[in-house]
Each structure stands twice: as C-alpha cells, then as structure tokens.
C-alpha cells in the first residue's frame, strides 16, 4: 500500500480500510505537527492540534474531490483546525504594545541578544504570521516550512506562479512593517 | 528605478531569482537610496528569522498511534449521547403538518445567493436549502396549486435595485470601500413573516475590497455598523450607516481588533459540535457534523428529546437574535442558514464562507462577513429579517 498515491489511499479509506488512513497520517504527520508547532509555539498543544486536524480530515474524507490533489485540501483543513484551536484559546492577538515593549527591551540591552530574547522574537513573529490574511500566510509557510519552490507552492495552492510571487512579496511586506521595531535594529542605531 | 520596483526586486533577490543584470540594477539603486538600503537589510533579517523559525519539527513517536486511537474512540456511538437520539417521528410529523403550507413554500421558494450576480442562484439538488427531512403528505397541499412548487424556482428581480457601483480600490492609505449592493432576495413562507410587510430576505453587500478583509462587524444601537479592515498588518475601524447615504467614516487608523469577532452568546463546544442557548434561556440550539449532522433544537422546559430541524449543520457559528425568535447557524462549509424555532423552520440564507456575525438590537438586521470563494476577501453583508 506504501506505493499508492494520496488520492488512492483516500479512496481506500472511503471503502473502510483504516490502514490506508494510517498511511496518510504517517505520510503527513511531520507536516501537520510542524505547522501546529510553528503556529502555536507549544509542543504538547501542537500534538493535540495536529491530531485533531487528522481526525477532522478523516471525518471530511467523503467530501474530498478525488479529481483534485490531496495535499492542498489536507493542508487547508490542518491550518484551519490549528487557527480555530488557537482562536478559542485566545492565542491570536499581537498588540503593537507587545512589539514595542520587546523593542524597548532590546534597545535597553547593550549585551548581545540572549536566547530568551530570541525566543521572544520568534514568538512575535509567530503571532504576526497568525495575523496575516491566509492568502499571504500560506505561501510563506509552504516556502519556509515545507521548503517549496514557487512552482510547488503554485501547484499546492492551485494558483499561478505570478500570484505566488506577488503574495510572497506582499506577505513579507506586511510582516516587515509589523516587525519594523525589531528588524534593522543595528542599522537604525 | 522606482522604490516600488526596487522592493519587488529585493523580494526576488531573497528567493535567489534575480539575474545578474537585475542585481546590478538593484545595486545601483540601493547605493543612492537609503530607504531601499534599509528595506533590503530588514528583508534579509526577516528572511533569516523566517528560515530560523519555520523549520520542520519531528512529532512524538506515538503520534500516529495516538491519532488512530482517537479515531477509534471518536467513532464509538457513546461519544454522542444526548443528540444521537433520533427525534420522535410521530411528534415531528404532527408539528410538520401544522405548518405544511409554510414548508411547501420554503421548498419551492427559498434560494441561495450567488454573490457574483444580482440574480439568485437556483439551489443545487444535493444541498437543499429547505428544512424538511420528510415531506408531509397532505392532499390539500397540491403542488400544482402553488406556483412556487411547479418545479422551477422563480427568479425574483429585486425592486428599486441600485445601479452597481465600481469597486473602490485600496490605496496606500487605508480606505474601506463602501458598496451597498442589493444581492437579491429569498422568498419567505408566510408563517415566517407573519404580519410584517416584508416577505423576503434582502441581502446587501455593504463593504468590499479587492485588497483587504472586512472583519468583526458590530451592530450599533443607532442602526449603523462598525467593522474593521486589516491593511499591512494594522487594523482600521470604520463605521457605516446604510440609511444615511454617506460614505463610511474612518474612526481609527490603528485600532485593536476586539477579542471576539462575533456576538455569539453562550457559545460552547460539546459532542463534536457547537451549541448555544437562546438569550431567554428557553431553547438550546445545536449544530453538528458527523453521524448527527444537522441543526438540532431542544426545548429546555420540555422532556422531549431534541429535534433535528435541518439536515445541514456542523459549522462554527450559531448566533441567536436578541429576541430569541430566530437563530442563524452555518454548515461545515460555513454556508449560512436561519432557523425560526417557533415555526420549526430553517432556510438557506447565504452560500459562501461566513466568518462572523452581529445582530442589531432589534433583532431585525443581521450583519455578517463572508467570502464567496477561497481566494476572495471577506466582505460585509447585511440581511434584513422579519
């Protein structure tokens, strides 16, 4: 069964073959878990979110259009599950104050940035990513997390490459603007 | 070279896609433009931060077995106790018969809206917007007597339709485009509108943009609505009064998005779905997917089991109107429906992904944000309900 495509595995799942779904989980566990961890920032929570995403995918399998590719559909459900989860926990809110407070801390420190401060930077980036509209967040996550090329992102999201380029550009611009207080710090001093 | 082109090239440079000529051109511009030089430095830092932060992480060893165990557990019928009980068919049919005329009208008359046109789209067979699971058999309700049951869904041209205005583009300054646009209407059964003169839902698109999402509407006591847009990572707060005929007012160019994006009350999650108590606490509405898929209603003063009022359900939203007389809910694709508990009726309202909802204080106007396709931006709509 290992050699079967995702879409063939889905068809087997719909016939009641659970081992086929087991294979799908094996195939995409790392992607789902990484996505959940990078969006939520907590290891245990990431496991819960990613597992919930697979349960959701399983319950929705009958709605999957077998003429289309499985991964984009799966990815969309996984991401929505994570975002709903984080929304309910009130974890999606970065205020400008957070960034400014962090920026002031950096400015006050003349010592090299500590690991703790780097973690804070990551946390701010994580929240800023969550706040991006999904059409700009998706290409960034596929590019950096999955290591996809423009062409692969375009295929995964079923969009032209030119649109992916524009969205990466816009997404980065938005992040750059949001994170301006902590970017280019040295240059501004 | 303009700074805009330079920034575009910097984006491609980060991804290693610049030709030698383009690199030389960019270098020349940056040498004479401190802003773009700073932009390049920040872009590189952001790229490094993203590369460092967005790395694959290995899940725990028992991840796959955990999923499969949860799956097996979730499939046990005992997981869903209260709502898995089938409604009493006899009781349901009796109640159905008492509103047979209404149901007949709903079956023929309710329509979905296609946001791309002003003409309501005919409902698709596999996604019926009507309430009935079983059609009441009543000879008095001969379909041929009813023009709405002739098999063709009537196309209703909205009266006093406003001419379509060009969509307002978003520029560098945050601007919320206002575009009141009547989308058409859905005929209501008489039982739903009672003595009101309105016999149809009027769907208006109030604000839309090609560039930004419209978010978190909140109905105001004076009949206007406040909403947010998100431009370049900052939220702008707007107010729009559809009755004033004036453009939307920008209240704040840098606002904080409220924590909750809908006014859904007593919103809980259980049994794999969502439930919400009516504001007067007499009714409990539940929207479920899976084996119990559908919209259920429970009268808290009665010992009767919950009734399944509609075949679709399982979405994220349930929101009661303030008067407890109607409740809107979404299905798994977040299409929007309204249910009238007293009449045991539900009707499809809007086909599209609905994100957030706000009722006016008088329970007559429903504001919601939604998009018609995955690639669209969320727009603001309103529906006047009797």
């Amino acid at each position: 069964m290992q050699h079967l495509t995702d879409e063939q595995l889905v068809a087997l799942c719909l016939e009641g073959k659970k081992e086929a779904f087991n294979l799908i989980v094996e195939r995409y566990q790392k992607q789902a878990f990484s996505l959940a961890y990078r969006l939520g920032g907590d290891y245990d929570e990431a496991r819960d979110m990613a597992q919930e995403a697979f349960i959701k995918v399983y319950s929705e399998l009958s709605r999957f259009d077998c003429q289309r590719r499985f991964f984009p559909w799966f990815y969309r459900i996984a991401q929505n599950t994570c975002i709903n989860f984080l929304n309910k926990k009130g974890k999606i809110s970065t205020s400008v104050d957070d960034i400014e407070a962090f920026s002031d801390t950096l400015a006050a420190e003349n010592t090299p940035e500590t690991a703790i401060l780097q973690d804070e930077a990551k946390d701010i980036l994580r929240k800023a990513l969550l706040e991006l509209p999904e059409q700009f967040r998706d290409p960034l996550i596929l590019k950096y997390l999955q290591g996809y090329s423009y062409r692969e992102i375009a295929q995964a999201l079923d969009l032209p490459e030119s649109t992916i380029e524009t969205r990466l550009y816009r997404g980065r611009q938005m992040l750059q603007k949001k994170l301006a207080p902590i970017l280019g710090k040295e240059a501004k001093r | 070279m303009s700074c805009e082109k330079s920034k575009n090239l910097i984006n491609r440079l980060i991804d290693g896609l610049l030709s030698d000529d383009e690199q030389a051109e960019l270098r020349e511009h940056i040498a004479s433009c401190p802003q773009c030089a700073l932009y390049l430095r920040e872009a590189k830092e952001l790229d490094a931060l993203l590369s460092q932060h967005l790395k694959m992480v290995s899940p725990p060893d028992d991840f796959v077995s955990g999923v499969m165990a949860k799956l097996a557990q979730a499939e046990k019928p005992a997981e869903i106790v209260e709502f898995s009980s089938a409604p009493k068919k006899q009781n349901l049919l009796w109640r159905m018969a008492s509103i047979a005329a209404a149901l007949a009208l709903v079956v023929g008359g309710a329509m979905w809206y296609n946001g791309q046109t002003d003409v309501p789209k005919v409902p698709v067979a596999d996604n019926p917007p009507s309430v009935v699971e079983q059609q009441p058999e009543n000879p008095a309700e001969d379909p041929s007597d009813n023009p709405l049951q002739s098999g063709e869904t009537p196309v209703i041209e909205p009266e006093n339709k406003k001419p379509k205005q060009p969509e307002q583009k978003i520029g560098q300054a945050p601007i919320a485009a206002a575009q009141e646009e009547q989308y058409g209407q859905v005929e209501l059964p008489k039982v739903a509108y009672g003595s009101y003169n309105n016999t149809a839902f009027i769907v208006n698109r109030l604000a839309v943009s090609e560039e930004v999402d419209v978010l978190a509407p909140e109905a105001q006591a004076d009949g206007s609505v406040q909403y947010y847009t998100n431009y370049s990572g900052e939220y702008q707060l707007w107010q729009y009064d559809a009755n004033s005929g004036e453009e939307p007012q920008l209240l704040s160019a840098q606002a904080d998005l409220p924590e909750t994006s809908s006014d859904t009350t007593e919103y809980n999650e259980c049994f794999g779905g969502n439930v919400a108590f009516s504001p007067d606490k007499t009714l409990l509405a539940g929207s479920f997917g899976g084996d119990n898929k559908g919209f259920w209603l429970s009268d808290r003063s009665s010992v009767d089991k919950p009734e399944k009022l509609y075949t679709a359900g399982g979405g994220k939203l349930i929101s009661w109107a303030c008067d407890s007389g109607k409740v809107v809910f979404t299905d798994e694709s977040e299409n929007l429906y309204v249910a009238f508990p007293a009449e045991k009726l539900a009707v499809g309202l809007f086909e599209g992904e609905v994100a957030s909802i706000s009722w006016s204080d008088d329970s007559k106007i429903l504001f919601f944000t939604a998009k018609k396709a995955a690639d669209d931006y969320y727009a603001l709509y309103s529906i006047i309900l009797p």
Side-chain angles (χ1 to χ4, degrees), chain B residues 175-196:
Chain B
I175 302 166
Q179 189 187 39
E180 193 178 352
E181 184 181 308
Q182 195 164 316
Y183 260 51
Q185 53 191 21
V186 173
E187 281 293 292
L188 278 182
K190 187 173 187 312
V191 69
Y193 64 81
S195 59
Y196 287 93

Side-chain angles (χ1 to χ4, degrees), chain B residues 7 28 37 50 68 73 81 89 91 148 152 170 198 209 219 240 243 305 322 353 378:
Chain B
K7 287 175 182 172
E28 193 181 328
L50 284 165
M68 298 314 284
Q73 209 178 7
V81 182
K89 295 284 181 190
N91 192 22
L148 293 178
E152 288 181 23
I170 300 298
N198 289 338
S209 159
Y240 181 58
N243 296 318
K305 287 176 180 168
C322 311
E353 189 187 324
Y378 286 102

Side-chain angles (χ1 to χ4, degrees), chain A residues 118-157:
Chain A
Q118 283 184 15
D119 281 350
E120 281 188 49
K122 282 182 185 174
D123 201 42
I124 288 170
L125 174 67
R126 182 181 64 74
K127 288 179 177 170
L129 266 175
L130 277 170
E131 285 187 345
L132 276 190
E134 64 184 28
Q135 59 267 41
F136 302 116
R137 182 175 56 228
D138 289 350
L140 282 169
I141 287 183
L142 289 173
K143 172 163 177 24
Y144 286 96
L145 188 62
Q146 313 286 356
Y148 279 15
S149 66
Y150 280 24
R151 175 174 295 180
E152 286 168 323
I153 300 171
Q155 283 174 350
L157 298 177

